[in-house]
């Protein structure tokens, strides 16, 4: 038996079976009993090092959602070294602290920006720095689900079809911006709104969770969250939004403003109604003392203030980096090593730096092509189109991984 190949199979199986443990955490059951045969009656059938490398870490990942959901977890094997679960619930504490910190920073940015706009050069600098530090690395682990999707068919050469497909899709997006910028902008905004909105929904807290209306409630919250990201910017900041869009499509700002003014009131009414229902649900849960709802209500309130008060470029950058990117990175880091925050961070950096460096190099090449003395409009075009080119394959690979049950939790 090849222990490395068997270990790879164990890794893939653990990710596949993880959907059932996530379901157990969502289920209304007080106790979960876990049984597994990992040795013969005569002793282990693999070297102890194999268990420590491939088996025990995956047990930690599989069992992690259960204590977080307040299940009673008492497999006798938890007493064995390497299987202790007491430290694996740290992610919940990090998430709770993140909500408070990110909400505070979001509100501060909203109020400060409402009091007085920042210079355009400073805004662009902050945008590039935040996206470089927090934004780009959050998608730098796309090769991991890509590996699990393709390794079974292509073996060790999985990276070749993955890289070709990933870069080809990114190139198609850039070509779409060059050939048909207006339809590409509309389609990108719609897809992004659903991606961000659905990715921020926590199904266990959504309206109707645990009932037959759970899917409808989660969809409603996804629509409310997705609308919150874009609709207030269109309705309350049409001039600023039109100036930004004018950098991307061959239309004048006045023409774009007229289109926004004609459409945005209807979108604002529908999105506002969905937001009001979702907000009332979470405020009600908070008033009843149900865990988690207060944090969601605080998050929604701070984001509403951000997108209503701040200018479009800053508002979206703050949301994308402080909320979406951080959550996705935390989820990925926890899957890589759930033993402790430090171990998870190290594992994330170790796996994320190659793709992050590659993205930085591509961005640098794009700026060189654009020209050192490029105008602010040209810089906005390069940043926006570059992000959309990376976002498209990111959404596709994670959606495919979700369908293959390779990834759980928020995305």
């Amino acid at each position: 038996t090849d222990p490395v190949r068997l270990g790879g199979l164990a890794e893939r199986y653990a990710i596949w079976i993880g959907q059932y443990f996530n379901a157990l955490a969502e289920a209304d059951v007080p106790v979960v009993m876990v049984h597994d045969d990992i040795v013969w009656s005569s002793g282990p059938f693999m070297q102890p090092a194999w268990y420590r490398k491939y088996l025990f870490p995956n047990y930690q990942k599989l069992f992690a959602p259960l204590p977080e959901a307040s299940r009673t977890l008492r497999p006798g094997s938890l007493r064995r070294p390497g299987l202790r679960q007491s430290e694996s619930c740290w992610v919940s504490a990090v998430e709770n602290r993140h909500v408070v910190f990110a909400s505070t920073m979001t509100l501060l940015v909203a109020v400060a920006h409402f009091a007085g706009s920042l210079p355009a050069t400073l805004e662009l600098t902050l945008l590039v720095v935040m996206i470089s530090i927090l934004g780009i690395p959050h998608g730098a682990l796309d090769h991991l689900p890509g590996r699990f999707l393709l390794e079974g068919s292509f073996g060790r050469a999985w990276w070749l079809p993955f890289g070709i497909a990933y870069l080809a899709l990114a190139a198609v997006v850039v070509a779409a911006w060059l050939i048909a910028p207006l339809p590409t902008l509309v389609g990108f905004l719609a897809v992004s709104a659903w991606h961000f909105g659905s990715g921020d929904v926590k199904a266990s807290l959504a309206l109707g969770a645990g009932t037959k209306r759970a899917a409808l409630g989660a969809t409603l919250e996804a629509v409310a969250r997705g609308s919150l990201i874009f609709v207030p910017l269109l309705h309350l900041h049409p001039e600023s939004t039109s100036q930004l869009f004018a950098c991307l499509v061959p239309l004048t700002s006045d023409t774009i403003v007229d289109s926004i003014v004609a459409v945005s009131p209807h979108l604002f009414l529908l999105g506002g109604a969905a937001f009001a229902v979702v907000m009332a649900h979470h405020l009600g849960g908070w008033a009843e003392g149900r865990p988690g709802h207060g944090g969601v209500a605080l998050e929604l309130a701070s984001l509403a203030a951000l997108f209503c008060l701040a200018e479009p470029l800053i508002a979206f950058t703050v949301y994308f980096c402080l909320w979406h990117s951080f959550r996705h990175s935390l989820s990925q880091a926890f899957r890589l090593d759930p033993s402790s925050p430090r171990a998870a961070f190290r594992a994330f950096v170790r796996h994320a730096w190659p793709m992050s460096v590659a993205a930085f190099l591509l961005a640098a090449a794009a700026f060189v092509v654009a020209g050192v003395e490029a105008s602010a409009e040209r810089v906005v075009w390069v940043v926006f189109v570059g992000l959309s080119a990376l976002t498209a394959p990111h959404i596709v690979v994670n959606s495919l991984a979700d369908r293959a049950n390779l990834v759980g939790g928020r995305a």
Side-chain angles (χ1 to χ4, degrees):
T1 302
D2 186 340
V4 176
R5 292 186 63 187
L6 182 60
L9 176 62
E11 296 276 4
R12 291 191 292 274
Y13 176 77
I15 293 178
W16 175 79
I17 201 67
Q19 61 181 312
Y20 296 101
F21 286 87
N22 291 332
L24 286 172
E26 300 283 346
D28 185 18
V29 294
V31 178
V32 173
M33 185 179 72
V34 179
H35 174 271
D36 201 358
D37 288 324
I38 61 175
V39 295
W40 304 131
S41 58
S42 59
F45 55 82
M46 296 293 289
Q47 292 293 326
W50 188 90
Y51 289 90
R52 288 192 292 268
K53 182 175 182 179
Y54 295 108
L55 194 65
F56 296 157
N58 281 312
Y59 276 146
Q60 289 183 314
K61 296 176 185 179
L62 293 175
F63 296 157
L66 302 180
E68 291 175 12
S70 299
R71 301 290 180 264
T72 301
L73 183 62
R74 291 181 180 174
S77 58
L78 274 180
R79 298 174 182 174
R80 294 178 58 87
L83 287 178
R84 291 194 181 96
Q85 196 59 41
S86 59
E87 295 181 357
S88 66
C89 298
W90 58 264
V91 70
S92 296
V94 172
E95 287 179 335
N96 293 335
R97 293 174 182 174
H98 166 256
V99 168
V100 175
F101 173 79
S103 296
T104 302
M105 296 302 299
T106 299
L107 287 170
L108 288 175
V109 170
V111 173
H113 207 272
F114 177 73
S117 298
L118 298 175
T121 304
L122 181 57
E123 282 191 354
L124 283 175
T125 302
L126 291 174
L127 181 149
V128 172
V129 170
M130 290 183 68
I131 289 176
S132 299
I133 296 176
L134 296 172
I136 291 177
H138 102 282
L141 295 182
D142 288 349
H143 60 288
L144 296 183
R147 176 181 180 179
F148 284 107
L149 286 167
L150 298 174
E151 192 174 32
S153 300
F154 296 94
R156 295 181 178 179
W158 65 268
W159 58 270
L160 185 59
F162 171 76
I164 292 174
Y166 201 94
L167 294 177
L169 183 54
V172 168
V173 173
V174 175
W177 280 106
L178 295 172
I179 297 172
L182 184 57
T184 302
L185 174 62
V186 174
F188 177 71
L189 292 177
V191 172
S192 297
W194 176 253
H195 173 66
F196 294 136
S198 59
D200 285 339
V201 175
K202 198 166 187 177
S204 60
L205 297 177
L207 187 67
T211 70
K212 294 180 179 180
R213 299 175 298 160
L216 179 61
T219 300
L220 178 65
E221 183 161 340
V223 171
R225 286 177 172 272
S227 300
L228 180 62
I229 297 170
F230 294 107
V231 173
L233 298 180
L234 295 172
H235 186 63
L236 301 177
H237 305 279
E239 292 81 8
S240 300
T241 304
S242 66
Q243 291 175 5
L244 177 62
F245 288 172
C247 301
L248 306 170
V249 298
L251 296 174
T252 64
S253 296
D254 293 338
T255 302
I256 298 175
V257 167
D258 292 340
S259 301
I260 291 176
V261 170
V263 175
S264 64
H266 308 288
L267 297 177
F268 191 77
L269 180 62
L270 294 174
F275 177 83
V277 172
V278 171
M279 191 66 169
H281 164 68
H282 289 296
L283 286 174
W286 170 69
E288 294 173 2
R290 286 183 280 162
H293 288 279
V296 177
L298 176 62
E299 171 191 344
L300 291 174
S302 65
L303 288 175
L306 175 70
F307 286 107
C308 289
L309 298 179
E311 292 296 316
L313 207 56
I314 288 295
F316 181 77
T317 301
V318 169
Y319 163 75
F320 180 71
C321 295
L322 283 186
W323 292 96
H324 179 77
S325 298
F326 179 86
R327 276 182 171 153
H328 186 76
S329 299
L330 177 63
S331 176
Q332 295 283 30
F334 179 71
R335 294 189 191 102
L336 290 171
D337 193 336
S339 60
S340 70
R342 180 175 297 181
F345 176 74
R346 289 175 178 173
F348 179 84
V349 172
R350 185 170 64 253
H351 285 84
W353 77 262
M355 294 289 284
S356 296
V357 170
F360 291 143
L361 293 177
L362 286 174
F367 278 109
V368 169
V369 172
V372 179
E373 301 298 331
S375 63
E377 291 77 12
R378 190 63 175 171
V379 172
V380 169
W381 189 92
V382 171
V383 171
F384 201 96
V385 173
L387 280 177
S388 65
L390 295 176
T391 299
H394 170 72
I395 293 176
V396 170
V397 72
N398 282 280
S399 297
L400 292 175
D402 284 340
R403 291 186 180 184
N405 298 317
L406 299 179
V407 180
R410 296 193 209 227

